[in-house]
Amino acid sequence: MYKANITVTLRSSILDPQGKASEHALSQLGFDSISQVRIGKYVEMDIVAESLGDAREIAESACAKLLANSVMEDYHITLNEVVAA
Amino acid sequence: MSVRFGIIVFPGSNCDHDAYHVVKHVFGQDARFIWHKETSVGDVDMIIVPGGFSYGDYLRSGAIARFSPIMKDVVRFASNGGLVLGICNGFQILCESGLLPGALMRNESLRFVCKNVFLRTENTASPFTSGLQQGAVLRMPVAHGEGNYFASDEVLDRIENEGRVAFRYCDESGQVTDEANPNGSLAGIAGLLNEGGNVLGMMPHPERCSEALLGRADGAPLFESVVEALQMSV
């Protein structure tokens, strides 16, 4: 089994008002070194698959079909094998 | 003969009864609700995908509703040239389902916007807008948190070249300005037609302003237009 950690964010070419507002607040708190704040969604799931490659294919398909809207969003998938205890 | 309207009801739809009331009681047509779990729209002349918060807007507005069983038949109905009007959440669902291009993002202000806005009529060739004059300014309520229309440059060019913008946000005098745009929509787009002109998605609510009792009836010409178009085609 694999554990997928997926982040969905607005595409970099699209203004992210939540990120901008948070970046502004951080700057007011004195965090001068922080920039390019982007806010997105985090999804995690278990995937039963024969191999890491199969698990990736399933996760990619789930993102493309439902979890992200390719018109405005990008996704990033991280997969880790879960070994039964 | 009465036009038969089918109004799709998802868990979380909340403008379904408004739409029903307007077509049935204000315009005297036939109206029926269609539960989202049904697989056929049945014997209807036109479909309304109403506003609301289908599936609680979980994940993205319209993203889950678009996979409801009925949507396959709505897509089939539209592909055969059937008239489909998506209002507010209905517009979001039509974009997610691919019947309309682009997507509706979080309002630029990050706020839920609930107020009257002005719209400039940009296309009078569609069955939804044939009763309007080019450039006519309408006042209609909006109530949404995710109405910020977005599409790639390429898609936007195509929409504009094909004259598929039905309505743009404007001020009272009909000027399309940033100040008059309640959500940050690209090119002030408030209502958009598909390629065939038989699918219209719009964020403002014509069903909430179609009788004099509610102050103004600026939404009425949309319903009058489709009723006339459908009665002529029977």
PDB file of all heavy atoms in Angstrom, chain A residues 30-62:
ATOM      1  N   GLY A  30       7.116  41.577  10.212  1.00  0.00           N
ATOM      2  CA  GLY A  30       8.573  41.693  10.167  1.00  0.00           C
ATOM      3  C   GLY A  30       9.282  40.579   9.426  1.00  0.00           C
ATOM      4  O   GLY A  30      10.508  40.509   9.429  1.00  0.00           O
ATOM      5  N   PHE A  31       8.535  39.689   8.806  1.00  0.00           N
ATOM      6  CA  PHE A  31       9.174  38.601   8.046  1.00  0.00           C
ATOM      7  C   PHE A  31       9.598  39.107   6.658  1.00  0.00           C
ATOM      8  O   PHE A  31       8.984  38.775   5.656  1.00  0.00           O
ATOM      9  CB  PHE A  31       8.209  37.415   7.899  1.00  0.00           C
ATOM     10  CG  PHE A  31       7.967  36.662   9.163  1.00  0.00           C
ATOM     11  CD1 PHE A  31       6.821  36.887   9.908  1.00  0.00           C
ATOM     12  CD2 PHE A  31       8.887  35.714   9.618  1.00  0.00           C
ATOM     13  CE1 PHE A  31       6.589  36.192  11.088  1.00  0.00           C
ATOM     14  CE2 PHE A  31       8.657  35.011  10.792  1.00  0.00           C
ATOM     15  CZ  PHE A  31       7.511  35.247  11.543  1.00  0.00           C
ATOM     16  N   ASP A  32      10.664  39.880   6.658  1.00  0.00           N
ATOM     17  CA  ASP A  32      11.099  40.501   5.401  1.00  0.00           C
ATOM     18  C   ASP A  32      11.646  39.485   4.408  1.00  0.00           C
ATOM     19  O   ASP A  32      11.712  39.747   3.217  1.00  0.00           O
ATOM     20  CB  ASP A  32      12.197  41.543   5.688  1.00  0.00           C
ATOM     21  CG  ASP A  32      11.673  42.626   6.610  1.00  0.00           C
ATOM     22  OD1 ASP A  32      10.455  42.878   6.585  1.00  0.00           O
ATOM     23  OD2 ASP A  32      12.482  43.196   7.372  1.00  0.00           O
ATOM     24  N   SER A  33      12.067  38.363   4.931  1.00  0.00           N
ATOM     25  CA  SER A  33      12.734  37.395   4.060  1.00  0.00           C
ATOM     26  C   SER A  33      11.738  36.481   3.338  1.00  0.00           C
ATOM     27  O   SER A  33      12.126  35.659   2.524  1.00  0.00           O
ATOM     28  CB  SER A  33      13.691  36.548   4.894  1.00  0.00           C
ATOM     29  OG  SER A  33      12.987  35.999   5.995  1.00  0.00           O
ATOM     30  N   ILE A  34      10.458  36.613   3.649  1.00  0.00           N
ATOM     31  CA  ILE A  34       9.455  35.716   3.037  1.00  0.00           C
ATOM     32  C   ILE A  34       8.804  36.379   1.830  1.00  0.00           C
ATOM     33  O   ILE A  34       8.384  37.541   1.890  1.00  0.00           O
ATOM     34  CB  ILE A  34       8.374  35.331   4.073  1.00  0.00           C
ATOM     35  CG1 ILE A  34       8.996  34.477   5.181  1.00  0.00           C
ATOM     36  CG2 ILE A  34       7.228  34.575   3.395  1.00  0.00           C
ATOM     37  CD1 ILE A  34       8.033  34.089   6.284  1.00  0.00           C
ATOM     38  N   SER A  35       8.719  35.619   0.740  1.00  0.00           N
ATOM     39  CA  SER A  35       7.988  36.122  -0.427  1.00  0.00           C
ATOM     40  C   SER A  35       7.351  34.931  -1.145  1.00  0.00           C
ATOM     41  O   SER A  35       7.561  33.780  -0.763  1.00  0.00           O
ATOM     42  CB  SER A  35       8.930  36.877  -1.364  1.00  0.00           C
ATOM     43  OG  SER A  35       9.884  35.984  -1.890  1.00  0.00           O
ATOM     44  N   GLN A  36       6.612  35.216  -2.188  1.00  0.00           N
ATOM     45  CA  GLN A  36       5.985  34.169  -3.016  1.00  0.00           C
ATOM     46  C   GLN A  36       5.135  33.193  -2.186  1.00  0.00           C
ATOM     47  O   GLN A  36       5.224  31.983  -2.363  1.00  0.00           O
ATOM     48  CB  GLN A  36       7.056  33.378  -3.800  1.00  0.00           C
ATOM     49  CG  GLN A  36       7.876  34.219  -4.754  1.00  0.00           C
ATOM     50  CD  GLN A  36       7.003  34.903  -5.800  1.00  0.00           C
ATOM     51  OE1 GLN A  36       6.107  34.299  -6.354  1.00  0.00           O
ATOM     52  NE2 GLN A  36       7.255  36.171  -6.043  1.00  0.00           N
ATOM     53  N   VAL A  37       4.305  33.716  -1.289  1.00  0.00           N
ATOM     54  CA  VAL A  37       3.440  32.855  -0.479  1.00  0.00           C
ATOM     55  C   VAL A  37       2.277  32.367  -1.352  1.00  0.00           C
ATOM     56  O   VAL A  37       1.603  33.166  -2.005  1.00  0.00           O
ATOM     57  CB  VAL A  37       2.894  33.626   0.749  1.00  0.00           C
ATOM     58  CG1 VAL A  37       1.949  32.746   1.551  1.00  0.00           C
ATOM     59  CG2 VAL A  37       4.042  34.124   1.616  1.00  0.00           C
ATOM     60  N   ARG A  38       2.082  31.078  -1.390  1.00  0.00           N
ATOM     61  CA  ARG A  38       0.968  30.505  -2.150  1.00  0.00           C
ATOM     62  C   ARG A  38       0.178  29.613  -1.198  1.00  0.00           C
ATOM     63  O   ARG A  38       0.753  28.831  -0.443  1.00  0.00           O
ATOM     64  CB  ARG A  38       1.466  29.633  -3.311  1.00  0.00           C
ATOM     65  CG  ARG A  38       2.462  30.296  -4.232  1.00  0.00           C
ATOM     66  CD  ARG A  38       1.860  31.308  -5.146  1.00  0.00           C
ATOM     67  NE  ARG A  38       1.008  30.749  -6.185  1.00  0.00           N
ATOM     68  CZ  ARG A  38       0.329  31.513  -7.036  1.00  0.00           C
ATOM     69  NH1 ARG A  38       0.395  32.829  -6.954  1.00  0.00           N
ATOM     70  NH2 ARG A  38      -0.430  30.952  -7.954  1.00  0.00           N
ATOM     71  N   ILE A  39      -1.119  29.694  -1.266  1.00  0.00           N
ATOM     72  CA  ILE A  39      -1.963  28.863  -0.409  1.00  0.00           C
ATOM     73  C   ILE A  39      -2.743  27.883  -1.274  1.00  0.00           C
ATOM     74  O   ILE A  39      -3.281  28.254  -2.318  1.00  0.00           O
ATOM     75  CB  ILE A  39      -2.895  29.743   0.438  1.00  0.00           C
ATOM     76  CG1 ILE A  39      -2.013  30.529   1.437  1.00  0.00           C
ATOM     77  CG2 ILE A  39      -3.951  28.902   1.161  1.00  0.00           C
ATOM     78  CD1 ILE A  39      -2.754  31.318   2.464  1.00  0.00           C
ATOM     79  N   GLY A  40      -2.765  26.634  -0.832  1.00  0.00           N
ATOM     80  CA  GLY A  40      -3.461  25.628  -1.620  1.00  0.00           C
ATOM     81  C   GLY A  40      -4.167  24.627  -0.736  1.00  0.00           C
ATOM     82  O   GLY A  40      -4.444  24.884   0.431  1.00  0.00           O
ATOM     83  N   LYS A  41      -4.439  23.473  -1.325  1.00  0.00           N
ATOM     84  CA  LYS A  41      -5.143  22.416  -0.588  1.00  0.00           C
ATOM     85  C   LYS A  41      -4.212  21.234  -0.406  1.00  0.00           C
ATOM     86  O   LYS A  41      -3.340  20.989  -1.249  1.00  0.00           O
ATOM     87  CB  LYS A  41      -6.333  21.921  -1.408  1.00  0.00           C
ATOM     88  CG  LYS A  41      -7.430  22.929  -1.544  1.00  0.00           C
ATOM     89  CD  LYS A  41      -8.479  22.406  -2.515  1.00  0.00           C
ATOM     90  CE  LYS A  41      -9.373  23.550  -2.943  1.00  0.00           C
ATOM     91  NZ  LYS A  41      -9.860  23.375  -4.290  1.00  0.00           N
ATOM     92  N   TYR A  42      -4.444  20.511   0.652  1.00  0.00           N
ATOM     93  CA  TYR A  42      -3.648  19.326   0.914  1.00  0.00           C
ATOM     94  C   TYR A  42      -4.584  18.118   0.994  1.00  0.00           C
ATOM     95  O   TYR A  42      -5.597  18.160   1.694  1.00  0.00           O
ATOM     96  CB  TYR A  42      -2.894  19.506   2.235  1.00  0.00           C
ATOM     97  CG  TYR A  42      -2.213  18.258   2.719  1.00  0.00           C
ATOM     98  CD1 TYR A  42      -1.091  17.756   2.059  1.00  0.00           C
ATOM     99  CD2 TYR A  42      -2.702  17.564   3.825  1.00  0.00           C
ATOM    100  CE1 TYR A  42      -0.484  16.597   2.499  1.00  0.00           C
ATOM    101  CE2 TYR A  42      -2.102  16.407   4.268  1.00  0.00           C
ATOM    102  CZ  TYR A  42      -0.989  15.916   3.591  1.00  0.00           C
ATOM    103  OH  TYR A  42      -0.383  14.765   4.019  1.00  0.00           O
ATOM    104  N   VAL A  43      -4.256  17.077   0.272  1.00  0.00           N
ATOM    105  CA  VAL A  43      -5.079  15.862   0.268  1.00  0.00           C
ATOM    106  C   VAL A  43      -4.166  14.681   0.568  1.00  0.00           C
ATOM    107  O   VAL A  43      -3.088  14.592  -0.022  1.00  0.00           O
ATOM    108  CB  VAL A  43      -5.721  15.626  -1.129  1.00  0.00           C
ATOM    109  CG1 VAL A  43      -6.629  14.401  -1.117  1.00  0.00           C
ATOM    110  CG2 VAL A  43      -6.492  16.860  -1.592  1.00  0.00           C
ATOM    111  N   GLU A  44      -4.560  13.801   1.473  1.00  0.00           N
ATOM    112  CA  GLU A  44      -3.791  12.570   1.618  1.00  0.00           C
ATOM    113  C   GLU A  44      -4.703  11.377   1.458  1.00  0.00           C
ATOM    114  O   GLU A  44      -5.902  11.452   1.724  1.00  0.00           O
ATOM    115  CB  GLU A  44      -3.026  12.528   2.949  1.00  0.00           C
ATOM    116  CG  GLU A  44      -3.879  12.594   4.180  1.00  0.00           C
ATOM    117  CD  GLU A  44      -3.044  12.426   5.458  1.00  0.00           C
ATOM    118  OE1 GLU A  44      -1.914  12.945   5.522  1.00  0.00           O
ATOM    119  OE2 GLU A  44      -3.556  11.780   6.383  1.00  0.00           O
ATOM    120  N   MET A  45      -4.137  10.272   0.986  1.00  0.00           N
ATOM    121  CA  MET A  45      -4.951   9.075   0.738  1.00  0.00           C
ATOM    122  C   MET A  45      -4.068   7.831   0.716  1.00  0.00           C
ATOM    123  O   MET A  45      -2.864   7.933   0.472  1.00  0.00           O
ATOM    124  CB  MET A  45      -5.682   9.214  -0.604  1.00  0.00           C
ATOM    125  CG  MET A  45      -4.760   9.404  -1.788  1.00  0.00           C
ATOM    126  SD  MET A  45      -5.659   9.569  -3.346  1.00  0.00           S
ATOM    127  CE  MET A  45      -6.433  11.152  -3.161  1.00  0.00           C
ATOM    128  N   ASP A  46      -4.716   6.720   0.989  1.00  0.00           N
ATOM    129  CA  ASP A  46      -4.028   5.435   0.853  1.00  0.00           C
ATOM    130  C   ASP A  46      -4.380   4.849  -0.502  1.00  0.00           C
ATOM    131  O   ASP A  46      -5.532   4.920  -0.928  1.00  0.00           O
ATOM    132  CB  ASP A  46      -4.485   4.455   1.944  1.00  0.00           C
ATOM    133  CG  ASP A  46      -4.031   4.912   3.328  1.00  0.00           C
ATOM    134  OD1 ASP A  46      -3.097   5.735   3.396  1.00  0.00           O
ATOM    135  OD2 ASP A  46      -4.618   4.448   4.325  1.00  0.00           O
ATOM    136  N   ILE A  47      -3.391   4.248  -1.140  1.00  0.00           N
ATOM    137  CA  ILE A  47      -3.633   3.637  -2.451  1.00  0.00           C
ATOM    138  C   ILE A  47      -3.095   2.206  -2.424  1.00  0.00           C
ATOM    139  O   ILE A  47      -1.924   1.989  -2.107  1.00  0.00           O
ATOM    140  CB  ILE A  47      -2.931   4.427  -3.571  1.00  0.00           C
ATOM    141  CG1 ILE A  47      -3.459   5.867  -3.627  1.00  0.00           C
ATOM    142  CG2 ILE A  47      -3.133   3.737  -4.932  1.00  0.00           C
ATOM    143  CD1 ILE A  47      -2.723   6.779  -4.600  1.00  0.00           C
ATOM    144  N   VAL A  48      -3.967   1.259  -2.735  1.00  0.00           N
ATOM    145  CA  VAL A  48      -3.515  -0.126  -2.847  1.00  0.00           C
ATOM    146  C   VAL A  48      -3.078  -0.341  -4.295  1.00  0.00           C
ATOM    147  O   VAL A  48      -3.886  -0.186  -5.213  1.00  0.00           O
ATOM    148  CB  VAL A  48      -4.650  -1.110  -2.472  1.00  0.00           C
ATOM    149  CG1 VAL A  48      -4.183  -2.552  -2.656  1.00  0.00           C
ATOM    150  CG2 VAL A  48      -5.097  -0.864  -1.032  1.00  0.00           C
ATOM    151  N   ALA A  49      -1.800  -0.647  -4.474  1.00  0.00           N
ATOM    152  CA  ALA A  49      -1.281  -0.844  -5.831  1.00  0.00           C
ATOM    153  C   ALA A  49      -0.106  -1.802  -5.783  1.00  0.00           C
ATOM    154  O   ALA A  49       0.526  -1.988  -4.745  1.00  0.00           O
ATOM    155  CB  ALA A  49      -0.862   0.496  -6.428  1.00  0.00           C
ATOM    156  N   GLU A  50       0.165  -2.415  -6.946  1.00  0.00           N
ATOM    157  CA  GLU A  50       1.240  -3.412  -7.040  1.00  0.00           C
ATOM    158  C   GLU A  50       2.624  -2.774  -6.950  1.00  0.00           C
ATOM    159  O   GLU A  50       3.570  -3.377  -6.465  1.00  0.00           O
ATOM    160  CB  GLU A  50       1.135  -4.171  -8.377  1.00  0.00           C
ATOM    161  CG  GLU A  50      -0.086  -5.078  -8.490  1.00  0.00           C
ATOM    162  CD  GLU A  50      -0.070  -6.206  -7.474  1.00  0.00           C
ATOM    163  OE1 GLU A  50       1.010  -6.779  -7.257  1.00  0.00           O
ATOM    164  OE2 GLU A  50      -1.143  -6.488  -6.893  1.00  0.00           O
ATOM    165  N   SER A  51       2.727  -1.565  -7.478  1.00  0.00           N
ATOM    166  CA  SER A  51       4.049  -0.938  -7.537  1.00  0.00           C
ATOM    167  C   SER A  51       3.903   0.565  -7.346  1.00  0.00           C
ATOM    168  O   SER A  51       2.800   1.120  -7.450  1.00  0.00           O
ATOM    169  CB  SER A  51       4.680  -1.206  -8.901  1.00  0.00           C
ATOM    170  OG  SER A  51       3.935  -0.513  -9.895  1.00  0.00           O
ATOM    171  N   LEU A  52       5.030   1.197  -7.126  1.00  0.00           N
ATOM    172  CA  LEU A  52       5.049   2.652  -6.984  1.00  0.00           C
ATOM    173  C   LEU A  52       4.533   3.317  -8.269  1.00  0.00           C
ATOM    174  O   LEU A  52       3.777   4.286  -8.224  1.00  0.00           O
ATOM    175  CB  LEU A  52       6.492   3.107  -6.691  1.00  0.00           C
ATOM    176  CG  LEU A  52       6.684   4.583  -6.347  1.00  0.00           C
ATOM    177  CD1 LEU A  52       6.014   4.927  -5.030  1.00  0.00           C
ATOM    178  CD2 LEU A  52       8.170   4.932  -6.278  1.00  0.00           C
ATOM    179  N   GLY A  53       4.918   2.741  -9.390  1.00  0.00           N
ATOM    180  CA  GLY A  53       4.482   3.280 -10.688  1.00  0.00           C
ATOM    181  C   GLY A  53       2.976   3.221 -10.852  1.00  0.00           C
ATOM    182  O   GLY A  53       2.345   4.186 -11.300  1.00  0.00           O
ATOM    183  N   ASP A  54       2.389   2.094 -10.445  1.00  0.00           N
ATOM    184  CA  ASP A  54       0.931   1.952 -10.520  1.00  0.00           C
ATOM    185  C   ASP A  54       0.247   2.950  -9.604  1.00  0.00           C
ATOM    186  O   ASP A  54      -0.768   3.564  -9.966  1.00  0.00           O
ATOM    187  CB  ASP A  54       0.498   0.534 -10.112  1.00  0.00           C
ATOM    188  CG  ASP A  54       0.834  -0.492 -11.185  1.00  0.00           C
ATOM    189  OD1 ASP A  54       1.349  -0.079 -12.245  1.00  0.00           O
ATOM    190  OD2 ASP A  54       0.592  -1.692 -10.962  1.00  0.00           O
ATOM    191  N   ALA A  55       0.807   3.089  -8.404  1.00  0.00           N
ATOM    192  CA  ALA A  55       0.220   4.024  -7.426  1.00  0.00           C
ATOM    193  C   ALA A  55       0.262   5.443  -7.976  1.00  0.00           C
ATOM    194  O   ALA A  55      -0.702   6.212  -7.848  1.00  0.00           O
ATOM    195  CB  ALA A  55       0.958   3.950  -6.097  1.00  0.00           C
ATOM    196  N   ARG A  56       1.371   5.787  -8.636  1.00  0.00           N
ATOM    197  CA  ARG A  56       1.492   7.135  -9.197  1.00  0.00           C
ATOM    198  C   ARG A  56       0.447   7.349 -10.300  1.00  0.00           C
ATOM    199  O   ARG A  56      -0.191   8.387 -10.375  1.00  0.00           O
ATOM    200  CB  ARG A  56       2.905   7.368  -9.734  1.00  0.00           C
ATOM    201  CG  ARG A  56       3.088   8.721 -10.418  1.00  0.00           C
ATOM    202  CD  ARG A  56       4.531   9.177 -10.468  1.00  0.00           C
ATOM    203  NE  ARG A  56       5.113   9.397  -9.151  1.00  0.00           N
ATOM    204  CZ  ARG A  56       4.940  10.504  -8.418  1.00  0.00           C
ATOM    205  NH1 ARG A  56       4.180  11.485  -8.859  1.00  0.00           N
ATOM    206  NH2 ARG A  56       5.502  10.609  -7.249  1.00  0.00           N
ATOM    207  N   GLU A  57       0.277   6.334 -11.113  1.00  0.00           N
ATOM    208  CA  GLU A  57      -0.694   6.440 -12.205  1.00  0.00           C
ATOM    209  C   GLU A  57      -2.108   6.691 -11.656  1.00  0.00           C
ATOM    210  O   GLU A  57      -2.852   7.528 -12.168  1.00  0.00           O
ATOM    211  CB  GLU A  57      -0.671   5.140 -13.009  1.00  0.00           C
ATOM    212  CG  GLU A  57      -1.051   5.307 -14.449  1.00  0.00           C
ATOM    213  CD  GLU A  57      -0.736   4.039 -15.236  1.00  0.00           C
ATOM    214  OE1 GLU A  57       0.451   3.720 -15.437  1.00  0.00           O
ATOM    215  OE2 GLU A  57      -1.716   3.368 -15.599  1.00  0.00           O
ATOM    216  N   ILE A  58      -2.434   5.958 -10.583  1.00  0.00           N
ATOM    217  CA  ILE A  58      -3.761   6.112  -9.970  1.00  0.00           C
ATOM    218  C   ILE A  58      -3.915   7.522  -9.386  1.00  0.00           C
ATOM    219  O   ILE A  58      -4.929   8.197  -9.594  1.00  0.00           O
ATOM    220  CB  ILE A  58      -3.979   5.043  -8.871  1.00  0.00           C
ATOM    221  CG1 ILE A  58      -4.076   3.645  -9.521  1.00  0.00           C
ATOM    222  CG2 ILE A  58      -5.236   5.345  -8.048  1.00  0.00           C
ATOM    223  CD1 ILE A  58      -3.944   2.489  -8.548  1.00  0.00           C
ATOM    224  N   ALA A  59      -2.873   7.972  -8.688  1.00  0.00           N
ATOM    225  CA  ALA A  59      -2.942   9.303  -8.058  1.00  0.00           C
ATOM    226  C   ALA A  59      -3.025  10.397  -9.121  1.00  0.00           C
ATOM    227  O   ALA A  59      -3.798  11.355  -8.989  1.00  0.00           O
ATOM    228  CB  ALA A  59      -1.728   9.522  -7.155  1.00  0.00           C
ATOM    229  N   GLU A  60      -2.251  10.247 -10.188  1.00  0.00           N
ATOM    230  CA  GLU A  60      -2.278  11.232 -11.284  1.00  0.00           C
ATOM    231  C   GLU A  60      -3.684  11.318 -11.874  1.00  0.00           C
ATOM    232  O   GLU A  60      -4.203  12.399 -12.131  1.00  0.00           O
ATOM    233  CB  GLU A  60      -1.322  10.812 -12.415  1.00  0.00           C
ATOM    234  CG  GLU A  60       0.151  10.913 -12.095  1.00  0.00           C
ATOM    235  CD  GLU A  60       0.719  12.312 -12.367  1.00  0.00           C
ATOM    236  OE1 GLU A  60      -0.017  13.149 -12.920  1.00  0.00           O
ATOM    237  OE2 GLU A  60       1.880  12.532 -11.975  1.00  0.00           O
ATOM    238  N   SER A  61      -4.271  10.152 -12.091  1.00  0.00           N
ATOM    239  CA  SER A  61      -5.591  10.102 -12.695  1.00  0.00           C
ATOM    240  C   SER A  61      -6.626  10.746 -11.775  1.00  0.00           C
ATOM    241  O   SER A  61      -7.509  11.483 -12.238  1.00  0.00           O
ATOM    242  CB  SER A  61      -5.920   8.641 -13.001  1.00  0.00           C
ATOM    243  OG  SER A  61      -7.243   8.520 -13.417  1.00  0.00           O
ATOM    244  N   ALA A  62      -6.504  10.496 -10.456  1.00  0.00           N
ATOM    245  CA  ALA A  62      -7.440  11.092  -9.488  1.00  0.00           C
ATOM    246  C   ALA A  62      -7.317  12.612  -9.503  1.00  0.00           C
ATOM    247  O   ALA A  62      -8.320  13.333  -9.423  1.00  0.00           O
ATOM    248  CB  ALA A  62      -7.158  10.545  -8.087  1.00  0.00           C
TER     249      ALA A  62
END
